[in-house]
Each structure stands twice: as C-alpha cells, then as structure tokens.
Amino acid sequence: MRHVFFTLPTFFLLTACATTETIEFASKYSDSEIAKMSSEHFEILERDAKVALGPTFNKYGAPDAYIEGLMSSIDIPNSNYLYGSGEFETKLRLKEHTFWRIDGENLAGHLEPVKTAHLVYETLRLDPLSDTLEFTETLTKRGQTFTVFERQVGNEIIITFHKSGELPQTTLDSVSFFP
C-alpha cells in the first residue's frame, strides 16, 4: 500500500507539469482592451469605441501606450489651446501622471472639462516597410461618437480622441506632452 501512495503523487505531479501551457505576454494593447478602457472612460458601449477606433487599428495595429484624462482652457479662456492632465499607461510599467497641451482653432472658452484619450505608437516599432509614416497633414475624422486627431510627434504617433459633441467646430493642430 505504501508503494501506491508514493506512485500516485508522482503521477499527479507529472500530469500537472505536462498540461501546463505557456502563456505569451503581449506588451501592446489589443483593440478589445482599448475598447474596454475607452468605454469606461467615455461611458459608452465597448462596440462603439471599437468601431470608432477601427481605422486607427487597421492603419497602425496595437498601440504601445494609452493615456486618458481631462482637458480644458484653464489659464487664458480666450486662447486657442487646451491643457490636459491624465494617466499614462503601458502594460510594462506602473501608471504615471502626464500633462499635455493641444493647439488648434475654436478652442477658446472651453472651460468645462472634456474627457480625452490618446493612443501612443512608437514609430521605431512600426513596420519600416510600411508607407503609413509618410505623414503630410493632420487627419481629423468626425464621426457620431468620436473626433480622432492623428499627429506624428518626434518618434511617436499620437492618436487623440474625444466625443465629437464635446468640442464642436474645432480643429486640432498640434499636441505636446510634458512629464
């Protein structure tokens, strides 16, 4: 009987080791993860966020980082820029606080905080054979849910989006981030 007790635990140990799968860690955010985070931040359905950001994912794939926060005219209400504050998040580091400034047209007087999010792509990680990096102008897409603003800043591509109704009749020209 003792022999049976020693054999059974060894059998279960070998069985447990043989069935363990290796799980690969993805360092970039999937479209489902971004849709979930965006739906929570903007209080919309996940499928609406996924549809609105579909063209961005088709063009650039999965982003390296996600930033969400609020922006408004805080110091000079009649200026054509907005300041934002929020959390910079990647899968490889803890969240960090960040600030940004967006310059554009018809941004004056937006004192009410506007929920905003950014996707960050490192251009060095994008396919070097792709022609998507021929960046000639700002691309703004107005849809029912989001306005999406696309801009290359140094070695990164920043996709900024907010609810279309929050900043009507505005044009975004540039975005700058500060630590």
Side-chain angles (χ1 to χ4, degrees):
M1 203 57 165
R2 283 186 176 159
H3 186 63
V4 172
F5 287 118
F6 290 119
T7 307
L8 284 176
T10 306
F11 173 74
F12 288 124
L13 180 65
L14 292 175
T15 305
C17 291
T19 59
T20 304
E21 290 183 29
T22 304
I23 299 173
E24 289 189 34
F25 176 75
S27 63
K28 295 183 175 198
Y29 289 103
S30 70
D31 60 346
S32 297
E33 291 170 314
I34 294 295
K36 182 173 177 39
M37 291 188 294
S38 299
S39 71
E40 291 171 0
H41 180 61
F42 291 104
E43 299 171 358
I44 62 170
L45 297 174
E46 281 185 44
R47 66 178 148 88
D48 291 340
K50 202 170 197 176
V51 167
L53 296 171
T56 300
F57 272 87
N58 289 339
K59 187 172 182 180
Y60 297 115
D64 297 296
Y66 177 78
I67 302 167
E68 66 180 33
L70 301 170
M71 65 181 183
S72 66
S73 300
I74 57 170
D75 63 343
I76 304 172
N78 59 354
S79 296
N80 273 323
Y81 54 83
L82 302 176
Y83 284 116
S85 173
E87 298 291 324
F88 177 87
E89 184 175 341
T90 70
K91 288 185 165 186
L92 303 174
R93 297 188 308 202
L94 295 174
K95 289 183 180 180
E96 295 178 29
H97 199 76
T98 189
F99 301 94
W100 66 86
R101 176 179 158 161
I102 290 185
D103 294 282
E105 301 287 326
N106 299 322
L107 297 175
H110 289 283
L111 298 173
E112 190 73 26
V114 175
K115 288 183 179 182
T116 307
H118 311 273
L119 303 178
V120 181
Y121 294 88
E122 292 183 28
T123 57
L124 301 175
R125 293 186 185 182
L126 294 175
D127 181 3
L129 301 176
S130 173
D131 61 359
T132 58
L133 298 181
E134 292 179 13
F135 224 87
T136 56
E137 63 183 47
T138 300
L139 175 64
T140 302
K141 299 175 185 173
R142 291 195 181 273
Q144 288 184 319
T145 307
F146 290 117
T147 297
V148 180
F149 171 69
E150 178 180 300
R151 187 56 137 183
Q152 185 166 359
V153 179
N155 288 330
E156 297 174 328
I157 293 177
I158 310 293
I159 307 296
T160 301
F161 56 104
H162 61 275
K163 283 187 172 178
S164 296
E166 303 255 332
L167 292 172
Q169 307 301 318
T170 60
T171 303
L172 306 179
D173 295 328
S174 65
V175 60
S176 305
F177 284 88
F178 309 97

